[in-house]
Amino acid sequence: MDATNTQGAVTPRSESVPLRCWAEIDLAALERNLRLIRASLPAHIRYVAVVKADAYGHGLQQVAGRLMHAGADLFAVANITEAAQVRELGPGWPILVLGPLLPDEDRYVAEYDLAVTVSTEDEVSRFDAAGRAAGRPIPVHLKVDTGMGRLGVWHEEAPRMIRRIRGSAHLKLVGVFTHFASPDTDPQFTEEQRRRFLAALDACGPAGLPMGGLLVHADNSAGLETMHGRSPFNAVRIGLLQFGILPHPGSFLSQVRTEPVFSFHTRVGIVKRLPAGTTVSYGRTRTLGRASDVAVLCAGYGDGIPRSVSNRASVLIRGVRCPVLGRVTMDQTVVDTTDVPGVCCGDEAVIIGRQGSAEISVGEFSGWADTIPWETLCSVTKRVPRVYRTVLGT
Ligand SMILES: *Cc1c(COP(=O)(O)O)cnc(C)c1O
């Protein structure tokens, strides 16, 4: 296709235009992370790779494809659309939909060969009907609410639900799981949730819940450390940790040397000098205390730098931290480069990631934004191209 349209105006072909704000996704690091996490777990533990929300903004198909290669056992997604994207990569991989389905989505379960999460009696009836219509049983994971207060059947009701599922001709119970409300901050309540979950399993009686072939899972990245020791748990659901981000420092997990997979980059649009006393950006929230060199970056909240990091974040230019001045705007962010010699138009600025020996982690950036790493990763917008690095180093 020609790059010039009939009016003679130039229509840039996006793939040939230099990048002004992009995310780099290191798939080789992702693969190393999975192998490291696996190696830190007992051999019988199944690895459920959580790839919801576009694999935490990293790109669902690229990430799931690499994790298939690296040895994930099962994929977990939030909804049918995400499940279909994983299914497109290959038949046979078990896929669990973690979120509730809407009634008009039920028929896709058999079509895409998915396992569903069940919390209510209504879902049992619906999925049983879907299995009957499809002519084969629907695999279900019963979710038990042990205190998260979101999805799942209340733990005291779980034994009855298990009997109901087991008694449904067109359902096949393949898993039982729960989800922790604050594994990273409240070990006592997490222990109480675990106790309720195990009590619910026990209440089914030895005949009620033969464990053979059943996946029993509770832990996400933050709860992982409790996988050690004797328990019926035989799977973990890993999201954040596989991307090289620790849910909380100082845990057993910090011994698992995962590396960051994601980094966030932009470039310097202009550099200029402003006199002392100038106010910078919308709302005039920042007054320069000295004559300053500033760089205007080609990225703003339209790319996923939240407004909440105004006057708080720093970026890396030429390996040096440069503080954000004033409010982040939709397409531009101003930073102070007074102490960095030689900054030029076109220079790369790292918003999250490494440059030289300096590093800004997703965790540090999330602190500036008053949020959590999960949200930071999900906030990088679709304007930002994801660039994949795929070579497996050592
Ligand atoms: C998102 C999610 C996970 C993964 O959590 P991480 O903390 O990112 O590891 C696990 N289980 C459920 C039910 C989830 O929704």
Side-chain angles (χ1 to χ4, degrees):
M1 205 184 93
D2 202 284
T4 307
N5 72 16
T6 48
Q7 273 84 49
V10 173
T11 310
R13 282 171 296 183
S14 57
E15 71 272 25
S16 64
V17 172
L19 300 172
R20 49 196 291 126
C21 178
W22 70 99
E24 280 178 28
I25 311 298
D26 187 345
L27 293 175
L30 176 74
E31 177 165 349
R32 286 193 293 272
N33 289 346
L34 181 145
R35 293 181 191 282
L36 278 169
I37 297 165
R38 278 215 93 117
S40 76
L41 292 167
H44 70 283
I45 302 290
R46 306 288 93 194
Y47 187 107
V48 181
V50 181
V51 292
K52 63 198 182 193
D54 201 28
Y56 295 40
H58 291 64
L60 189 150
Q61 288 197 320
Q62 289 84 353
V63 162
R66 191 62 177 239
L67 293 175
M68 285 174 179
H69 172 76
D73 295 302
L74 197 146
F75 291 90
V77 294
N79 59 46
I80 291 282
T81 307
E82 295 176 349
Q85 285 181 284
V86 178
R87 180 54 75 224
E88 244 175 51
L89 297 173
W93 291 93
I95 301 170
L96 168 62
V97 182
L98 295 168
L101 266 62
L102 300 171
D104 39 351
E105 292 176 327
D106 290 353
R107 62 200 174 92
Y108 297 104
V109 172
E111 186 176 332
Y112 294 126
D113 188 19
L114 309 175
V116 288
T117 296
V118 162
S119 308
T120 67
E121 305 253 355
D122 174 53
E123 289 172 316
V124 173
S125 312
R126 276 170 39 202
F127 296 138
D128 192 50
R132 189 182 332 112
R136 63 191 157 97
I138 304 289
V140 307
H141 290 238
L142 176 67
K143 188 162 190 180
V144 181
D145 184 352
T146 53
M148 172 71 186
R150 193 178 58 174
L151 296 181
V153 61
W154 186 245
H155 59 98
E156 289 161 340
E157 311 287 316
R160 198 170 45 80
M161 279 288 266
I162 286 172
R163 281 193 295 276
R164 246 209 90 178
I165 295 167
R166 284 248 150 101
S168 301
H170 308 287
L171 297 182
K172 181 167 192 262
L173 185 68
V174 296
V176 185
F177 73 112
T178 192
H179 193 52
F180 296 134
S182 30
D184 41 356
T185 53
D186 193 341
Q188 238 171 317
F189 188 67
T190 305
E191 208 34 57
E192 174 60 14
Q193 285 193 271
R194 197 182 302 275
R195 197 195 57 71
R196 290 173 177 176
F197 185 65
L198 295 175
L201 296 185
D202 278 350
C204 299
L209 197 64
M211 295 289 181
L214 204 62
L215 278 188
V216 181
H217 46 117
D219 291 279
N220 63 348
S221 297
L224 199 57
E225 55 204 288
T226 50
M227 283 307 298
H228 292 264
R230 289 159 56 82
S231 74
F233 297 107
N234 57 13
V236 290
R237 302 186 304 273
I238 302 295
L240 194 71
L241 186 64
Q242 64 198 344
F243 301 111
I245 301 160
L246 290 179
H248 57 121
S251 72
F252 138 85
L253 292 170
S254 41
Q255 295 156 29
V256 185
R257 297 250 163 257
T258 57
E259 322 154 51
V261 172
F262 171 90
S263 58
F264 196 12
H265 310 251
T266 185
R267 296 176 73 193
V268 171
I270 67 164
V271 290
K272 65 176 180 180
R273 186 141 182 104
L274 289 173
T278 308
T279 59
V280 179
S281 191
Y282 289 125
R284 310 184 68 215
T285 60
R286 185 63 170 268
T287 305
L288 298 179
R290 58 174 181 178
S292 305
D293 294 317
V294 304
V296 181
L297 306 179
C298 298
Y301 62 76
D303 303 279
I305 305 177
R307 216 163 148 273
S308 51
V309 306
S310 300
N311 287 312
R312 298 174 82 174
S314 290
V315 304
L316 304 174
I317 302 175
R318 300 187 171 230
V320 180
R321 285 185 174 234
C322 303
V324 169
L325 297 171
R327 292 236 172 99
V328 173
T329 69
M330 187 185 287
D331 308 308
Q332 281 106 36
T333 302
V334 184
V335 298
D336 186 346
T337 56
T338 310
D339 301 323
V340 194
V343 176
C344 304
C345 173
D347 277 1
E348 184 177 330
V350 171
I351 304 158
I352 294 172
R354 283 188 202 135
Q355 196 182 54
S357 58
E359 180 171 10
I360 293 167
S361 68
V362 174
E364 185 178 17
F365 186 87
S366 303
W368 291 325
D370 281 327
T371 187
I372 53 175
W374 293 264
E375 190 183 34
T376 295
L377 293 171
C378 287
S379 303
V380 176
T381 68
K382 61 178 187 289
R383 181 160 82 180
V384 178
R386 272 62 167 174
V387 177
Y388 293 92
R389 291 209 256 137
T390 58
V391 180
L392 195 59
T394 45

